[in-house]
């Protein structure tokens, strides 16, 4: 990565409409451009395996998807599917035989389509990682079994106002599936819970699927509880997480300031540049020696350096301690939410300041975002938003900070700060030389 020309990963905007293969292919193509901007230590697989430290840990990724990107259901479903696959293949062969594998071709043919791709039991994903539906626990990002028994992996929290079976029946009826699923198959009750939480229309954590994709998946799940029944959804979710959510999360994690702080620092940098130029004009019009004009350089250098760093989402003062402003959900624990973010400006996404580590539970989870089943990911009902709006502006500009634990993030920030200093020198030195050599202008 070039020191002078290093760039954070470009912001990847969400494409309109439901997840489709053609749209996800755009994410895949864009991801190739981010390889040089995202170090291996912050790769998607490392974050999913929780090998990165805050602010790039798995919980931080989930928080970003809940409070900023507003599509946490993708990661929640992904984590469940990896754990479910591991538990399914830990079953005795006699129980696995009750749920035979399902191919994408079989599902599409059964819904009136004519696909060209062969059945897949193991294939290479667009990102180079092999997805083995026979032994999924060996793939990247695969989760270990979370329970030893063969019962459903179901959280005790439930929020659906509908009965699970009614929700499944309604979802099947909407796509023209009338007959009942095979109840003797392993994990059938859990699959019904997944349908009612992620697949069915208007479910608490509904995935952004097209009607065609939902029909294929529901048809497959009526026949089998084999993990391969989710192959089509898994591919779409993986493409979205890797190609859109992950680069945006890394870009956002590099920033160390919240929105009020970054806006303030940007304006402060512009003010220093304006003061430097104003001082130069005054000295040129005065009878003072031209060498006094060199005092313009500190103002210009500080202004350009501060402005460039703030444009990248960094505050130079906060960076001296390798710290970052604290985010709202970190302060308020499980009750922390944010009503809205400007996701086009990740440098200013965080809106709050004070944080107490005691709000974290012993498991490191905040709220229910890491639970497979539960309420939706909406947080508009949380009371802290109104409290934040009442805070004085000064408290928003000077929040408390927390040390950045991940060394890779610290190195990237160091690189950006050095880059801002270099660009500042390239701008300040020629401008200062020009100011010095300008002839004195006599004021009549």
């Amino acid at each position: 990565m070039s020191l002078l020309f290093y760039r954070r990963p470009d912001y990847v905007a969400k494409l309109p409409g439901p997840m489709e293969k053609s749209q996800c292919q755009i994410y895949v193509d864009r991801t190739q451009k981010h390889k040089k901007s995202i170090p291996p230590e912050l790769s998607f697989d490392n974050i999913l395996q929780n090998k990165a430290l805050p602010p790039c840990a798995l919980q931080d990724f989930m928080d970003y998807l809940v409070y900023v990107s507003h599509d946490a259901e993708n990661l929640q479903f992904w984590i469940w599917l990896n754990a479910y696959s591991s538990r399914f293949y830990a079953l005795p062969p006699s129980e696995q035989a009750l749920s035979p594998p399902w191919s994408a071709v079989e599902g599409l043919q059964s819904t009136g389509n004519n696909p060209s791709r062969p059945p897949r039991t193991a294939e290479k994903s667009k990102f180079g990682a092999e997805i083995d539906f026979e032994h999924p626990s060996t793939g990247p990002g695969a989760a270990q079994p979370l329970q030893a028994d063969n019962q459903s992996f179901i959280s005790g929290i439930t929020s659906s106002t509908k009965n699970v079976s009614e929700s499944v029946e309604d979802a099947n009826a909407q796509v023209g599936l009338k007959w009942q699923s095979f109840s003797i198959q392993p994990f059938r009750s859990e699959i019904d819970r997944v349908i009612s939480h992620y697949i069915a229309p208007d479910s608490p954590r509904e995935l952004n699927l097209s009607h065609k994709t939902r029909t294929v998946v529901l048809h497959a799940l009526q026949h089998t509880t084999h993990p391969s029944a989710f192959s089509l959804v898994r591919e779409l979710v993986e493409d979205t997480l890797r190609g859109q959510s992950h680069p945006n999360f890394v870009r956002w994690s590099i920033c160390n300031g919240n929105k009020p702080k970054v806006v303030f620092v940007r304006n402060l940098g512009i003010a220093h540049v304006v003061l430097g130029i104003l001082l130069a004009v005054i000295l040129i019009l005065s009878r003072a020696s031209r060498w006094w004009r060199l005092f313009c350089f500190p103002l210009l250098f500080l202004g350009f350096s501060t402005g460039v760093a703030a444009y990248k989402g960094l505050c130079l003062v906060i960076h001296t301690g390798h710290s970052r402003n604290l985010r709202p959900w970190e302060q308020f624990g499980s009750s922390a939410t944010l009503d809205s973010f400007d996701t086009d400006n990740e440098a200013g996404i965080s809106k709050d300041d004070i944080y107490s580590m005691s709000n974290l539970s012993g498991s490191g989870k905040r709220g229910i975002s890491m639970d497979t089943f539960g309420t939706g990911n909406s947080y508009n009902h949380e009371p802290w938003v109104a409290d934040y709006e009442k805070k004085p502006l000064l408290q928003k500009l000077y929040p408390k900070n927390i040390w950045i634990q991940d060394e890779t993030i610290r190195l990237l920030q160091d690189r950006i700060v050095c880059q801002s200093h270099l660009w500042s020198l390239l701008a300040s030195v020629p401008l200062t030389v020009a100011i010095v050599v300008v002839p004195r202008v006599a004021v009549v």
Side-chain angles (χ1 to χ4, degrees):
M1 291 181 288
S2 171
L3 177 62
L4 190 58
F5 298 100
Y6 170 74
R7 294 178 56 185
R8 293 182 299 162
D10 293 333
Y11 178 75
V12 182
K14 292 181 182 179
L15 297 175
M19 293 185 293
E20 296 283 0
K21 288 186 178 181
S22 58
Q23 292 182 334
C24 291
Q25 183 61 42
I26 298 177
Y27 292 147
V28 174
D29 296 337
R30 291 177 179 176
T31 301
Q32 306 305 318
K33 303 177 182 179
H34 301 143
K35 287 186 176 180
K36 295 182 179 180
S37 301
I38 301 178
E41 295 81 2
L42 299 180
S43 67
F44 176 78
D45 296 324
N46 276 0
I47 292 177
L48 262 290
Q49 294 169 9
N50 213 18
K51 293 182 179 179
L53 296 175
C56 287
L58 178 59
Q59 179 66 63
D60 297 300
F61 190 22
M62 182 67 77
D63 289 343
Y64 170 80
L65 296 177
V66 171
Y67 301 118
V68 180
S69 184
H70 306 150
D71 51 4
E73 62 276 358
N74 291 330
L75 183 57
Q76 291 162 340
F77 175 80
W78 174 270
I79 292 175
W80 168 82
L81 183 56
N82 282 332
Y84 175 76
S85 299
S86 298
R87 289 181 290 112
F88 183 89
Y89 290 109
L91 292 173
S94 58
E95 293 191 42
Q96 293 188 36
L98 297 175
S99 294
W102 184 265
S103 70
V105 167
E106 187 176 358
L108 290 172
Q109 287 176 339
S110 64
T111 55
N113 294 281
N114 185 23
S116 58
R117 53 187 296 181
R120 68 184 217 167
T121 55
E123 68 175 41
K124 200 87 166 180
S125 74
K126 300 182 183 69
F127 299 92
E130 184 174 284
I131 303 175
D132 189 347
F133 290 100
E134 296 300 329
H135 304 88
S137 59
T138 61
Q144 297 300 319
L146 300 183
Q147 292 184 359
D149 59 11
N150 296 334
Q151 301 301 318
S152 298
F153 172 58
I154 300 177
S155 167
I157 304 175
T158 181
S159 63
S160 177
T161 57
K162 273 187 177 182
N163 180 276
V164 172
S165 61
E166 293 177 355
S167 179
V168 174
E169 290 177 1
D170 291 345
N172 289 335
Q174 290 187 32
V175 297
L177 303 176
K178 302 299 183 182
W179 50 279
Q180 297 292 327
S181 305
F182 300 110
S183 59
I184 195 175
Q185 292 174 332
F187 302 116
R188 172 53 66 182
S189 61
E190 180 175 352
I191 293 298
D192 289 344
R193 292 291 299 275
V194 170
I195 293 175
S196 65
H197 273 76
Y198 294 95
I199 308 298
D202 300 322
S203 53
R205 299 177 181 180
E206 180 185 358
L207 296 173
N208 190 20
L209 303 176
S210 65
H211 178 76
K212 174 182 174 182
T213 301
R214 182 178 290 109
T215 301
V216 172
V217 174
L218 290 174
H219 183 83
L221 293 175
Q222 273 203 334
H223 288 78
T224 181
T225 59
H226 195 278
S228 60
F230 292 101
S231 60
L232 181 56
V233 178
R234 180 179 187 135
E235 182 178 355
L236 296 176
V237 169
E238 179 190 13
D239 290 352
T240 302
L241 285 173
R242 288 183 181 268
Q244 194 259 346
S245 301
H246 173 246
N248 289 347
F249 169 66
V250 174
R251 174 186 173 92
W252 173 76
S253 299
I254 293 175
C255 304
N256 67 0
N258 59 22
K259 186 171 185 177
K261 171 69 74 173
V262 171
V263 171
F264 173 75
V265 171
R266 286 177 181 174
N267 293 331
L268 190 63
I270 295 174
H272 277 79
V273 174
V274 171
L275 287 176
I277 296 176
L278 181 61
L279 177 61
V281 172
I282 294 174
L283 292 175
I284 290 173
L285 297 177
S286 70
R287 296 183 178 181
S289 170
R290 68 176 62 227
W291 301 112
W292 284 98
R293 303 174 194 175
L294 292 174
F295 284 99
C296 299
F297 176 79
L299 289 173
L300 295 174
F301 176 81
L302 183 59
F304 284 123
S305 182
T306 301
V308 172
Y311 177 76
K312 302 286 187 178
L314 294 179
C315 173
L316 295 179
V317 176
I318 299 177
H319 177 73
T320 57
H322 279 128
S323 302
R324 64 173 176 85
N325 287 165
L326 296 164
R327 298 170 182 133
W329 50 88
E330 295 170 331
Q331 173 187 357
F332 295 95
S334 60
S335 63
T337 57
L338 189 56
D339 189 58
S340 63
F341 280 105
D342 180 9
T343 55
D344 289 327
N345 181 5
E346 293 81 15
I349 294 176
S350 182
K351 289 182 62 180
D352 206 2
D353 41 17
I354 306 172
Y355 175 56
S356 174
M357 292 298 292
S358 62
N359 286 330
L360 289 175
S361 65
S363 62
K365 296 196 298 182
R366 290 186 289 273
I368 62 170
S369 61
M370 298 298 290
D371 291 326
T372 301
F373 305 110
T375 60
N377 295 316
S378 175
Y379 41 81
N380 296 328
H381 60 284
E382 299 293 342
W384 73 266
V385 178
D387 295 336
Y388 172 78
E389 296 298 332
K390 298 177 182 178
K391 284 188 176 182
L393 179 61
L394 192 62
Q395 292 186 18
K396 298 179 181 179
L397 290 177
Y398 296 98
K400 291 185 178 180
N401 303 321
I402 189 173
W403 185 63
I404 296 173
Q405 300 181 41
D406 193 271
E407 182 180 4
T408 304
I409 290 292
R410 298 199 302 268
L411 292 176
L412 290 179
Q413 291 179 343
D414 290 341
R415 187 181 295 273
I416 292 175
V417 170
C418 291
Q419 184 185 78
S420 67
H421 292 332
L422 289 175
W423 281 112
S424 181
L425 280 175
L426 291 176
S428 302
V429 171
L431 185 56
T432 302
V433 171
I435 292 173
V436 171
V437 300
V438 169
R440 181 187 304 170
V441 178
V443 179
V444 179

